């Protein structure tokens, strides 16, 4: 079991640039979550998908953020244009079923926007 | 909306001793799940233990156990025989199994230091 795979591990970009974060969930998992972690706000849910369909995107900060899940094995989180306040660690997680199934997290992407 | 509160931003414990991390949550639901996750400096989120709200028996995983008090909405984590490798951020989390609301809600975390 390869676990949840995120890329890149680190991303440094300049303000105004487009950033794309990638995630490959665990095979067979039907839920995929994107979280953002900062010192000030902790772990915040941005969006989650069930069977590739977005269910709740109320945590997406603004229109600069978008997420897609074109198939069961791939998801992207895009920020365009990026701003310094977007600097954070972004986690992707997946689970099978809901409720009691634990989320399995990737190693996260540390994004720095200068 | 469900909320999770961890009132101890930092805790410390001597190696081989026992420490308890506190967590309370707010929900109007009767069926839900609670989790503790560990985040070491490597930033990997690691599941420590899970509790089903409908089970009265407290979950245990080796040196880790919980004290689940449903009426008080309390879910504390006890670490016995603490080891240096237990040093990490610990996050309490809540999940409700209802369609459209399956997200995991996290507390702010407790930073645990283990002193040799």
């Amino acid at each position: 079991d390869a676990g949840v795979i995120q890329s890149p591990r680190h991303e440094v970009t300049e303000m105004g640039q487009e950033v794309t974060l990638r995630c490959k969930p665990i095979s067979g998992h039907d839920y995929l979550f994107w979280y953002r972690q900062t010192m000030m706000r902790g772990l915040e849910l941005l969006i989650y998908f069930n069977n590739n369909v977005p269910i709740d995107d109320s945590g997406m900060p603004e229109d600069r953020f978008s997420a897609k899940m074109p198939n069961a094995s791939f998801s992207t989180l895009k920020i365009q244009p990026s701003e310094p306040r977007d600097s954070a660690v972004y986690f992707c997680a997946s689970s099978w079923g809901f409720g009691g199934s634990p989320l399995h997290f990737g190693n996260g992407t540390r994004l720095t926007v200068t | 909306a469900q909320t999770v509160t961890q009132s101890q931003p930092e805790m410390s414990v001597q190696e081989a001793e026992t420490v308890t991390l506190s967590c309370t949550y707010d929900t109007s639901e009767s069926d839900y799940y609670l989790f503790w996750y560990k985040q070491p400096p490597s930033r990997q989120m690691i599941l420590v233990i899970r509790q089903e709200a409908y089970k009265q028996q407290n979950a245990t995983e080796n040196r880790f156990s919980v004290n689940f008090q449903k009426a008080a909405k309390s879910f504390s984590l006890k670490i016995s025989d603490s080891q240096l490798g237990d040093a990490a951020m610990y996050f309490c989390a809540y999940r409700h199994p209802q369609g459209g609301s399956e997200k995991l809600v996290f507390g702010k975390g407790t930073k645990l230091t283990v002193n040799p």
Side-chain angles (χ1 to χ4, degrees), chain B residues 2 20 30 36 40 43 51 53-54 56-57 59 62 68 77-78 82 94 98 101 116:
Chain B
Q2 293 84 7
T20 298
S30 59
W36 279 97
R43 81 171 182 241
Q51 175 78 43
Y54 61 85
Q56 291 186 332
Q57 185 175 6
N62 301 314
F68 173 50
L77 175 70
K78 186 172 79 171
S82 297
Y94 166 102
Q98 178 180 341
S101 182

Side-chain angles (χ1 to χ4, degrees), chain A residues 92-110:
Chain A
C92 176
S94 69
S95 73
W96 180 85
F98 58 85
S101 299
L103 272 62
H104 299 261
F105 284 80
N107 287 326
T109 295
R110 179 175 294 281

Side-chain angles (χ1 to χ4, degrees), chain B residues 5 56 83 97 105:
Chain B
T5 302
Q56 291 186 332
Q83 300 176 359
V105 179

Side-chain angles (χ1 to χ4, degrees), chain B residues 27-73:
Chain B
T27 183
S28 59
E29 306 294 338
S30 59
D31 183 23
Y32 50 86
Y33 297 83
L34 298 165
F35 305 84
W36 279 97
Y37 278 85
K38 168 185 177 181
Q39 187 179 39
S42 66
R43 81 171 182 241
Q44 175 71 42
M45 294 288 286
I46 302 166
L47 176 68
V48 175
I49 201 164
R50 183 189 81 158
Q51 175 78 43
E52 296 92 336
Y54 61 85
K55 287 188 177 180
Q56 291 186 332
Q57 185 175 6
N58 290 323
T60 62
E61 287 288 343
N62 301 314
R63 299 182 295 107
F64 298 87
S65 62
V66 299
N67 183 4
F68 173 50
Q69 301 291 327
K70 190 172 184 178
K73 297 179 183 176

Side-chain angles (χ1 to χ4, degrees), chain A residues 55-114:
Chain A
I55 302 299
D56 183 354
D57 66 353
S58 60
M60 296 287 261
E62 48 199 272
D63 292 345
R64 297 185 298 106
F65 285 69
S66 63
K68 294 182 179 180
M69 192 166 185
N71 56 62
S73 58
F74 184 66
S75 177
T76 60
L77 178 68
K78 186 174 294 186
I79 308 172
Q80 166 63 18
S82 58
E83 296 182 2
R85 59 188 168 130
D86 301 331
S87 297
V89 177
Y90 291 81
F91 284 101
C92 176
S94 69
S95 73
W96 180 85
F98 58 85
S101 299
L103 272 62
H104 299 261
F105 284 80
N107 287 326
T109 295
R110 179 175 294 281
L111 174 64
T112 302
V113 183
T114 61

